[in-house]
Amino acid sequence: MQEQLQQQCFALEDLQQLLKQFSEQLTIIDVRSPEEYIENHIPAAINIPLGELQAHSKDLSIDSIIITVCGKGGGRTAEAALLLKKSGFSKANFLCGGTFGWYA
């Protein structure tokens, strides 16, 4: 599990495993707009749009395992995970395939 926490892109199976084993220490952040989030999102995810993430990072636990998600799991989620890592959140990663992959 430790090597999974070091990777940048989490596979869907890895996230499902984390939800089972470490749900108390896990934060899933959907970085899409509120309108996109309302349409469809991972049930455990909270919505913090990418443009607001820096301002809201103070509300997150520095020790949390953070997985960022959006629709396809690419640009915005990678940018969000990198932003969080640069802010000291060493366990920040993003979901490969995003929300669309969750519901595929």
Side-chain angles (χ1 to χ4, degrees), residues 36-78:
E36 291 171 297
Y37 176 82
I38 288 170
E39 282 182 28
N40 201 6
H41 61 272
I42 296 172
I46 60 172
N47 182 224
I48 305 175
L50 180 58
E52 299 173 18
L53 188 57
Q54 186 72 40
H56 287 281
S57 66
K58 66 184 180 326
D59 301 327
L60 304 170
S61 171
I62 200 78
D63 297 321
S64 281
I65 300 165
I66 299 175
I67 307 297
T68 59
V69 301
C70 74
K72 295 179 185 175
R76 284 186 280 181
T77 56

Side-chain angles (χ1 to χ4, degrees), residues 18-37:
L18 282 175
L19 282 167
K20 290 177 186 172
Q21 294 182 334
F22 299 101
S23 63
E24 294 295 317
Q25 302 157 342
L26 178 65
T27 302
I28 302 171
I29 302 173
D30 190 317
V31 298
R32 298 176 297 158
S33 71
E35 295 79 20
E36 291 171 297
Y37 176 82

Side-chain angles (χ1 to χ4, degrees), residues 84-102:
L84 289 168
K85 280 191 184 270
K86 287 181 177 179
S87 297
F89 295 89
S90 62
K91 299 176 189 172
N93 297 284
F94 65 95
L95 181 63
C96 304
T99 304
F100 298 154
W102 180 271

